[in-house]
Amino acid sequence: MNKKMVLSALSIVAAVSSSASFAAFTAPGQGVVGSVHDMNQYTAATKDTEGRVCAFCHTPHHALTSTTVTDYMPLWSHTLANTSGYKPYDSATLDATIKDATTMMEGPSKLCMSCHDGTVAADVHYATTTGTLWLDSDAFGGAAVAKDFTLTNDHPIGFVYDDVAAGTAAGAVGTSTEAGKDNYIKNSGAKFSSNLSITVASRLFVNVQNKAIMTCATCHDVHNKKNVDEGTKNYLLLSPNTNSQICLSCHIK
Ligand code: HEC
Ligand code: HEC
Ligand code: HEC
Ligand code: HEC
């Protein structure tokens, strides 16, 4: 990225963070058009010439396909930054076995990171590769200058959910003595607080080995449709941040 692009990217970040309220973007549950994920909302350079919204992520033809693994590429039209090598979260008390770095990003997570690690411009999509937008001010992949593709400081993803979740769906503490089980996590039958038609299970990615994995989409709805966020920000969350309901949907605390 040259200096001019860095500068324009920074001004876009500033513009987005000051306007990322419900006033500027559609409210939770109102769909992707007009939401934070409608790339036409940002600068003139970002806009799709035909005003398409889905096109930044999907294309009906000429989509990207995976050559290495049987994975999830829902007619994907956005360049993938890095399909292997994100470093996982770890801690002394983590019970979950996070899949190795190459498979940790199975399912939607790598699709999210194709924009949110800050290496590929968010407006790069099929037939439109101007690359004028670099947006994620948090850059999940690390500092904008030295990307090492780390997710070590982010909530763990990329593990088989029910291998670790040993509490009951209703929220009773589990009784398992097995290593690798956490009795204070509800099993995947649990429902999202204030969004009771949605179970955790329905938000896990079931891979080719039929294992249901926790991903970014377990907490967020990229299409701004099933989320019920409330507050001053729309984080596309399946349960509100208010009273940390999103966390308590799974954690027995
Ligand atoms: C910012 C990127 C983005 C945009 C814009 C977007 N999608 Fe998606 N879409 C995704 C991701 C990521 C997934 C993977 C599943 C998930 O994350 O839940 C997905 C999955 C899907 C799926 C398959 C799974 C499902 O939920 O049925 C369909 C169908 C789909 N999108 C349709 C659309 C349509 C139609 C539009 C435009 C109106 C659209 N998407 C806009 C990112 C996007
Ligand atoms: C085509 C690029 C693209 C893809 C793919 C994408 N995003 Fe985004 N996302 C953006 C942009 C651009 C914004 C608005 C700027 C920002 O907040 O960084 C945004 C905003 C968000 C926000 C709100 C941020 C805020 O501060 O209000 C969340 C949460 C989010 N994305 C999560 C996801 C998740 C989870 C996925 C995958 C399921 C995903 N995104 C896929 C580009 C993308
Ligand atoms: C365990 C639930 C959970 C998972 C999994 C998760 N997030 Fe989030 N995310 C949140 C919550 C909650 C927020 C709201 C901000 C806060 O409370 O600090 C958020 C905020 C965000 C934001 C906007 C604010 C920021 O900090 O930049 C983005 C972008 C985002 N998430 C993307 C992702 C991506 C990409 C993944 C997968 C790599 C992911 N999230 C996985 C819960 C989650
Ligand atoms: C969809 C279910 C789900 C949601 C929502 C969720 N978590 Fe988690 N969280 C888990 C699971 C499963 C683990 C792995 C637990 C383990 O390995 O012991 C975990 C791990 C963690 C850890 C690391 C524990 C350790 O031993 O290092 C922390 C801290 C945590 N979550 C906090 C939160 C917070 C705070 C929120 C809300 C912002 C949240 N979680 C939302 C399921 C969830």
Side-chain angles (χ1 to χ4, degrees):
M1 192 185 270
N2 64 33
K3 197 175 173 190
K4 195 173 156 213
M5 280 178 65
V6 171
L7 287 175
S8 68
L10 286 175
S11 59
I12 290 161
V13 168
V16 167
S17 41
S18 60
S19 61
S21 67
F22 291 176
F25 298 102
T26 51
Q30 301 303 302
V32 68
V33 175
S35 75
V36 280
H37 277 154
D38 179 347
M39 303 300 145
N40 298 315
Q41 298 247 87
Y42 300 110
T43 64
T46 327
K47 283 196 193 351
D48 181 74
T49 47
E50 296 174 61
R52 298 172 300 178
V53 176
C54 316
F56 290 95
C57 296
H58 307 285
T59 174
H61 306 291
H62 320 292
L64 281 177
T65 51
S66 173
T67 49
T68 46
V69 282
T70 312
D71 199 6
Y72 186 47
M73 301 279 278
L75 292 175
W76 201 244
S77 84
H78 190 267
T79 306
L80 291 186
N82 176 10
T83 48
S84 52
Y86 287 92
K87 287 186 200 134
Y89 172 86
D90 201 4
S91 95
T93 56
L94 191 72
D95 294 303
T97 307
I98 299 194
K99 296 169 67 69
D100 63 80
T102 47
T103 51
M104 174 176 101
M105 303 308 283
E106 273 185 304
S109 304
K110 68 176 180 311
L111 305 176
C112 310
M113 293 305 280
S114 75
C115 288
H116 283 282
D117 74 5
T119 51
V120 182
D123 71 338
V124 173
H125 61 294
Y126 173 66
T128 310
T129 53
T130 54
T132 49
L133 185 62
W134 183 86
L135 259 178
D136 186 3
S137 50
D138 178 54
F140 276 71
V145 277
K147 300 225 166 43
D148 59 356
F149 298 110
T150 179
L151 285 168
T152 51
N153 62 354
D154 295 293
H155 193 286
I157 54 163
F159 55 88
V160 181
Y161 193 87
D162 276 332
D163 281 358
V164 60
T168 71
V173 176
T175 54
S176 175
T177 51
E178 229 182 289
K181 298 273 188 196
D182 189 325
N183 287 319
Y184 288 85
I185 307 262
K186 298 177 196 175
N187 69 41
S188 59
K191 294 172 171 171
F192 282 95
S193 308
S194 298
N195 202 2
L196 296 176
S197 62
I198 305 205
T199 58
V200 170
S202 74
R203 303 298 304 178
L204 300 173
F205 172 73
V206 182
N207 71 7
V208 284
Q209 289 88 24
N210 212 27
K211 299 283 190 191
I213 298 169
M214 177 141 173
T215 75
C216 312
T218 308
C219 294
H220 296 283
D221 185 4
V222 71
H223 301 117
N224 192 39
K225 197 70 187 171
K226 295 176 177 164
N227 51 314
V228 297
D229 241 332
E230 58 189 41
T232 52
K233 290 270 286 175
N234 180 4
Y235 286 116
L236 310 173
L237 292 171
L238 289 160
S239 281
N241 247 343
T242 314
N243 291 332
S244 293
Q245 289 179 71
I246 179 69
C247 317
L248 293 169
S249 298
C250 301
H251 290 271
I252 304 166
K253 293 288 182 213

